[in-house]
Amino acid sequence: MSATPELKIVECPRDAMQGWKTSIPTAKKVQYLNTLLRVGFDTLDFGSFVSPKAIPQMADTADVLPQLNTAATRSKLLAIVANVRGAESAVSYAPVRYLGFPFSVSETFQQRNTNASIAEGLDRVKEIQQLCTANGKELVVYLSMGFGNPYGDPWSEEVVLEWARTIAALGVPILSLADTVGLATPEQIDAVTRHVVEALPGSEIGVHLHASADGWREKVEAAYEAGCRRFDGALKGIGGCPMANDALVGNMNTEWLIRYFSEKGHNLQLDAQALEEALQLANEIFV
């Protein structure tokens, strides 16, 4: 019997910042990210190496990175990439441990999000995985629209599982099931997550959920009870898919995750003072 995987919280300030309508100064990003590094989350999804035309808010990722204090934190840095060019940039930075790539099981969303077909997206995954292996990095593939899509594209548990199997077979160590526009019900989350966790015991399976204040606990519990131990969140629940256009369906609030897992008896080993400072900074940045 395999050991129970360690619980991991992935804090995603990049996801919170990337769609923010007013420009966030580089110095303020650095201050916020360094405070989050002191909190001690497992992973910090801090920035992205993507086209500045597509995501202007992330155009300064390469400027932010050298100013991050990674020496005194247990948190690992994760950078999002959308193509091989971005991956080539990301792997050149020693502090970056993980590269994240959004692979949609919806053809429509893959085109919208990365300007590529699913087939082209899979080719990118293969190349990026090779880059990660050659440079001592680990790839996280997000299965976008993992719980359905609003476009009428084919979706089922089996569709998600087959793509998960295909990507895991390429050597990708971590897969994260993404509820990209907040469509998932707790029942769906349980069924899909359980399906993938049980089918791929050698892979680390995470969830990237969106939730409103009145439905978050059921969603977290569904994934947890299905065997997931890797959860993405963002302080104050800020962020989410720009196309959702619904302020109520933001990212999963990290404070909710902390509360839930503390109630479950997990010792999260987070710095409470740094967390309070990060929340205060979030109140200043996201106004």
Side-chain angles (χ1 to χ4, degrees):
M1 182 179 293
S2 59
T4 302
E6 171 194 0
L7 182 76
K8 297 179 180 180
I9 295 179
V10 181
E11 173 62 21
C12 303
R14 182 270 319 163
D15 204 357
M17 292 187 288
Q18 68 177 8
W20 202 249
K21 292 180 173 58
T22 55
S23 179
I24 303 170
T26 299
K28 185 60 75 172
K29 289 179 185 175
V30 170
Q31 183 186 13
Y32 186 48
L33 293 170
N34 275 329
T35 305
L36 289 171
L37 286 171
R38 286 173 40 224
V39 177
F41 296 106
D42 179 84
T43 301
L44 195 68
D45 175 351
F46 79 99
S48 59
F49 291 90
V50 297
S51 166
K53 291 182 180 178
I55 311 288
Q57 196 75 261
M58 292 289 105
D60 59 354
T61 291
D63 297 321
V64 166
L65 190 46
Q67 301 180 65
L68 298 184
N69 182 13
T70 57
T73 181
R74 68 188 184 101
S75 301
K76 283 83 71 178
L77 295 183
L78 182 151
I80 295 295
V81 301
N83 53 39
V84 175
R85 182 179 177 181
E88 289 171 340
S89 296
V91 299
S92 70
Y93 291 91
V96 174
R97 167 75 175 274
Y98 300 111
L99 274 63
F101 180 80
F103 177 89
S104 181
V105 300
S106 154
E107 186 73 55
T108 303
F109 190 71
Q110 187 70 17
Q111 286 284 358
R112 290 189 180 195
N113 201 34
T114 64
N115 196 30
S117 66
I118 286 181
E120 290 169 325
L122 187 62
D123 287 338
R124 292 181 187 182
V125 171
K126 293 175 183 176
E127 290 189 66
I128 294 169
Q129 172 60 18
Q130 290 168 357
L131 273 171
C132 286
T133 300
N135 289 275
K137 312 296 186 185
E138 293 184 69
L139 179 57
V140 181
V141 169
Y142 295 87
L143 292 172
S144 301
M145 298 292 173
F147 299 95
N149 64 81
Y151 312 118
D153 291 342
W155 179 90
S156 68
E157 291 173 27
E158 286 304 320
V159 166
V160 177
L161 180 58
E162 282 310 303
W163 281 120
R165 287 186 192 275
T166 298
I167 291 168
L170 299 175
V172 175
I174 306 170
L175 302 172
S176 188
L177 302 167
D179 181 20
T180 312
V181 286
L183 291 172
T185 64
E187 293 75 21
Q188 271 185 310
I189 293 168
D190 177 274
V192 175
T193 306
R194 191 178 301 275
H195 217 43
V196 176
V197 167
E198 291 178 355
L200 298 171
S203 301
E204 182 177 330
I205 306 300
V207 290
H208 183 105
L209 303 174
H210 294 182
S212 57
D214 61 355
W216 69 269
R217 181 178 291 271
E218 293 81 2
K219 291 186 175 186
V220 173
E221 187 157 76
Y224 183 85
E225 294 297 332
C228 178
R229 293 296 181 269
R230 178 188 177 94
F231 290 80
D232 286 13
L235 287 188
K236 301 178 71 65
I238 296 163
C241 179
M243 282 177 285
N245 195 29
D246 183 351
L248 294 177
V249 189
N251 279 308
M252 180 65 68
N253 190 327
T254 306
E255 295 165 271
W256 299 338
L257 293 175
I258 292 170
R259 184 191 316 167
Y260 180 84
F261 297 129
S262 296
E263 290 172 1
K264 284 289 184 181
H266 288 278
N267 179 10
L268 300 175
Q269 299 180 310
L270 302 178
D271 185 317
Q273 181 178 340
L275 178 61
E276 186 59 36
E277 290 177 25
L279 285 166
Q280 290 174 5
L281 283 170
N283 286 333
E284 296 173 13
I285 294 169
F286 302 107
V287 290

PDB file of all heavy atoms in Angstrom, residues 118-133:
ATOM      1  N   ILE A 118      -5.977  21.248 -29.613  1.00  0.00           N
ATOM      2  CA  ILE A 118      -5.617  20.241 -28.605  1.00  0.00           C
ATOM      3  C   ILE A 118      -4.414  19.434 -29.081  1.00  0.00           C
ATOM      4  O   ILE A 118      -3.490  19.152 -28.307  1.00  0.00           O
ATOM      5  CB  ILE A 118      -6.821  19.326 -28.292  1.00  0.00           C
ATOM      6  CG1 ILE A 118      -7.849  20.083 -27.441  1.00  0.00           C
ATOM      7  CG2 ILE A 118      -6.370  18.060 -27.584  1.00  0.00           C
ATOM      8  CD1 ILE A 118      -9.060  19.258 -27.057  1.00  0.00           C
ATOM      9  N   ALA A 119      -4.396  19.072 -30.358  1.00  0.00           N
ATOM     10  CA  ALA A 119      -3.273  18.291 -30.894  1.00  0.00           C
ATOM     11  C   ALA A 119      -1.966  19.074 -30.786  1.00  0.00           C
ATOM     12  O   ALA A 119      -0.914  18.525 -30.395  1.00  0.00           O
ATOM     13  CB  ALA A 119      -3.538  17.904 -32.346  1.00  0.00           C
ATOM     14  N   GLU A 120      -2.036  20.367 -31.118  1.00  0.00           N
ATOM     15  CA  GLU A 120      -0.839  21.211 -30.986  1.00  0.00           C
ATOM     16  C   GLU A 120      -0.451  21.372 -29.524  1.00  0.00           C
ATOM     17  O   GLU A 120       0.737  21.403 -29.177  1.00  0.00           O
ATOM     18  CB  GLU A 120      -1.100  22.577 -31.621  1.00  0.00           C
ATOM     19  CG  GLU A 120      -1.196  22.542 -33.140  1.00  0.00           C
ATOM     20  CD  GLU A 120      -1.721  23.844 -33.715  1.00  0.00           C
ATOM     21  OE1 GLU A 120      -2.586  24.495 -33.092  1.00  0.00           O
ATOM     22  OE2 GLU A 120      -1.252  24.214 -34.811  1.00  0.00           O
ATOM     23  N   GLY A 121      -1.458  21.466 -28.664  1.00  0.00           N
ATOM     24  CA  GLY A 121      -1.189  21.572 -27.234  1.00  0.00           C
ATOM     25  C   GLY A 121      -0.456  20.347 -26.706  1.00  0.00           C
ATOM     26  O   GLY A 121       0.468  20.466 -25.895  1.00  0.00           O
ATOM     27  N   LEU A 122      -0.844  19.175 -27.194  1.00  0.00           N
ATOM     28  CA  LEU A 122      -0.174  17.947 -26.759  1.00  0.00           C
ATOM     29  C   LEU A 122       1.278  17.927 -27.232  1.00  0.00           C
ATOM     30  O   LEU A 122       2.175  17.507 -26.494  1.00  0.00           O
ATOM     31  CB  LEU A 122      -0.923  16.722 -27.285  1.00  0.00           C
ATOM     32  CG  LEU A 122      -0.425  15.368 -26.759  1.00  0.00           C
ATOM     33  CD1 LEU A 122      -0.581  15.287 -25.238  1.00  0.00           C
ATOM     34  CD2 LEU A 122      -1.181  14.220 -27.434  1.00  0.00           C
ATOM     35  N   ASP A 123       1.517  18.406 -28.443  1.00  0.00           N
ATOM     36  CA  ASP A 123       2.896  18.507 -28.929  1.00  0.00           C
ATOM     37  C   ASP A 123       3.717  19.437 -28.043  1.00  0.00           C
ATOM     38  O   ASP A 123       4.892  19.176 -27.753  1.00  0.00           O
ATOM     39  CB  ASP A 123       2.918  19.005 -30.377  1.00  0.00           C
ATOM     40  CG  ASP A 123       2.453  17.959 -31.378  1.00  0.00           C
ATOM     41  OD1 ASP A 123       2.516  16.758 -31.040  1.00  0.00           O
ATOM     42  OD2 ASP A 123       2.039  18.340 -32.491  1.00  0.00           O
ATOM     43  N   ARG A 124       3.098  20.529 -27.599  1.00  0.00           N
ATOM     44  CA  ARG A 124       3.791  21.457 -26.710  1.00  0.00           C
ATOM     45  C   ARG A 124       4.117  20.784 -25.372  1.00  0.00           C
ATOM     46  O   ARG A 124       5.205  20.977 -24.819  1.00  0.00           O
ATOM     47  CB  ARG A 124       2.947  22.709 -26.475  1.00  0.00           C
ATOM     48  CG  ARG A 124       2.802  23.584 -27.717  1.00  0.00           C
ATOM     49  CD  ARG A 124       1.965  24.836 -27.437  1.00  0.00           C
ATOM     50  NE  ARG A 124       1.702  25.574 -28.662  1.00  0.00           N
ATOM     51  CZ  ARG A 124       1.043  26.721 -28.722  1.00  0.00           C
ATOM     52  NH1 ARG A 124       0.566  27.272 -27.607  1.00  0.00           N
ATOM     53  NH2 ARG A 124       0.843  27.338 -29.877  1.00  0.00           N
ATOM     54  N   VAL A 125       3.168  20.012 -24.862  1.00  0.00           N
ATOM     55  CA  VAL A 125       3.415  19.294 -23.609  1.00  0.00           C
ATOM     56  C   VAL A 125       4.634  18.389 -23.749  1.00  0.00           C
ATOM     57  O   VAL A 125       5.505  18.346 -22.867  1.00  0.00           O
ATOM     58  CB  VAL A 125       2.179  18.475 -23.176  1.00  0.00           C
ATOM     59  CG1 VAL A 125       2.521  17.553 -22.004  1.00  0.00           C
ATOM     60  CG2 VAL A 125       1.032  19.399 -22.785  1.00  0.00           C
ATOM     61  N   LYS A 126       4.717  17.665 -24.862  1.00  0.00           N
ATOM     62  CA  LYS A 126       5.851  16.758 -25.085  1.00  0.00           C
ATOM     63  C   LYS A 126       7.169  17.523 -25.068  1.00  0.00           C
ATOM     64  O   LYS A 126       8.145  17.113 -24.406  1.00  0.00           O
ATOM     65  CB  LYS A 126       5.694  16.040 -26.426  1.00  0.00           C
ATOM     66  CG  LYS A 126       4.541  15.061 -26.491  1.00  0.00           C
ATOM     67  CD  LYS A 126       4.390  14.489 -27.908  1.00  0.00           C
ATOM     68  CE  LYS A 126       3.197  13.563 -28.011  1.00  0.00           C
ATOM     69  NZ  LYS A 126       2.981  13.069 -29.407  1.00  0.00           N
ATOM     70  N   GLU A 127       7.215  18.650 -25.791  1.00  0.00           N
ATOM     71  CA  GLU A 127       8.453  19.428 -25.870  1.00  0.00           C
ATOM     72  C   GLU A 127       8.805  20.064 -24.531  1.00  0.00           C
ATOM     73  O   GLU A 127       9.984  20.090 -24.127  1.00  0.00           O
ATOM     74  CB  GLU A 127       8.326  20.513 -26.944  1.00  0.00           C
ATOM     75  CG  GLU A 127       8.295  19.977 -28.372  1.00  0.00           C
ATOM     76  CD  GLU A 127       8.378  21.107 -29.388  1.00  0.00           C
ATOM     77  OE1 GLU A 127       9.435  21.774 -29.450  1.00  0.00           O
ATOM     78  OE2 GLU A 127       7.390  21.318 -30.100  1.00  0.00           O
ATOM     79  N   ILE A 128       7.803  20.565 -23.838  1.00  0.00           N
ATOM     80  CA  ILE A 128       8.063  21.222 -22.552  1.00  0.00           C
ATOM     81  C   ILE A 128       8.501  20.204 -21.514  1.00  0.00           C
ATOM     82  O   ILE A 128       9.390  20.473 -20.693  1.00  0.00           O
ATOM     83  CB  ILE A 128       6.818  22.010 -22.094  1.00  0.00           C
ATOM     84  CG1 ILE A 128       6.547  23.174 -23.060  1.00  0.00           C
ATOM     85  CG2 ILE A 128       7.009  22.542 -20.673  1.00  0.00           C
ATOM     86  CD1 ILE A 128       5.200  23.849 -22.859  1.00  0.00           C
ATOM     87  N   GLN A 129       7.916  19.012 -21.544  1.00  0.00           N
ATOM     88  CA  GLN A 129       8.341  17.957 -20.631  1.00  0.00           C
ATOM     89  C   GLN A 129       9.809  17.593 -20.875  1.00  0.00           C
ATOM     90  O   GLN A 129      10.588  17.388 -19.926  1.00  0.00           O
ATOM     91  CB  GLN A 129       7.447  16.716 -20.779  1.00  0.00           C
ATOM     92  CG  GLN A 129       7.915  15.479 -20.012  1.00  0.00           C
ATOM     93  CD  GLN A 129       7.995  15.694 -18.514  1.00  0.00           C
ATOM     94  OE1 GLN A 129       7.424  16.624 -17.962  1.00  0.00           O
ATOM     95  NE2 GLN A 129       8.748  14.825 -17.845  1.00  0.00           N
ATOM     96  N   GLN A 130      10.207  17.536 -22.132  1.00  0.00           N
ATOM     97  CA  GLN A 130      11.612  17.255 -22.452  1.00  0.00           C
ATOM     98  C   GLN A 130      12.525  18.364 -21.939  1.00  0.00           C
ATOM     99  O   GLN A 130      13.609  18.097 -21.404  1.00  0.00           O
ATOM    100  CB  GLN A 130      11.769  17.076 -23.964  1.00  0.00           C
ATOM    101  CG  GLN A 130      11.140  15.803 -24.504  1.00  0.00           C
ATOM    102  CD  GLN A 130      11.051  15.780 -26.024  1.00  0.00           C
ATOM    103  OE1 GLN A 130      11.411  16.753 -26.694  1.00  0.00           O
ATOM    104  NE2 GLN A 130      10.566  14.677 -26.581  1.00  0.00           N
ATOM    105  N   LEU A 131      12.087  19.612 -22.080  1.00  0.00           N
ATOM    106  CA  LEU A 131      12.861  20.742 -21.558  1.00  0.00           C
ATOM    107  C   LEU A 131      12.999  20.652 -20.038  1.00  0.00           C
ATOM    108  O   LEU A 131      14.082  20.906 -19.485  1.00  0.00           O
ATOM    109  CB  LEU A 131      12.171  22.060 -21.916  1.00  0.00           C
ATOM    110  CG  LEU A 131      12.493  22.702 -23.261  1.00  0.00           C
ATOM    111  CD1 LEU A 131      11.543  23.875 -23.508  1.00  0.00           C
ATOM    112  CD2 LEU A 131      13.935  23.182 -23.304  1.00  0.00           C
ATOM    113  N   CYS A 132      11.906  20.302 -19.376  1.00  0.00           N
ATOM    114  CA  CYS A 132      11.937  20.188 -17.916  1.00  0.00           C
ATOM    115  C   CYS A 132      12.905  19.088 -17.482  1.00  0.00           C
ATOM    116  O   CYS A 132      13.724  19.291 -16.573  1.00  0.00           O
ATOM    117  CB  CYS A 132      10.537  19.893 -17.383  1.00  0.00           C
ATOM    118  SG  CYS A 132       9.415  21.309 -17.422  1.00  0.00           S
ATOM    119  N   THR A 133      12.842  17.951 -18.133  1.00  0.00           N
ATOM    120  CA  THR A 133      13.727  16.838 -17.789  1.00  0.00           C
ATOM    121  C   THR A 133      15.189  17.222 -17.979  1.00  0.00           C
ATOM    122  O   THR A 133      16.043  16.946 -17.130  1.00  0.00           O
ATOM    123  CB  THR A 133      13.398  15.607 -18.657  1.00  0.00           C
ATOM    124  OG1 THR A 133      12.040  15.220 -18.412  1.00  0.00           O
ATOM    125  CG2 THR A 133      14.307  14.441 -18.316  1.00  0.00           C
TER     126      THR A 133
END
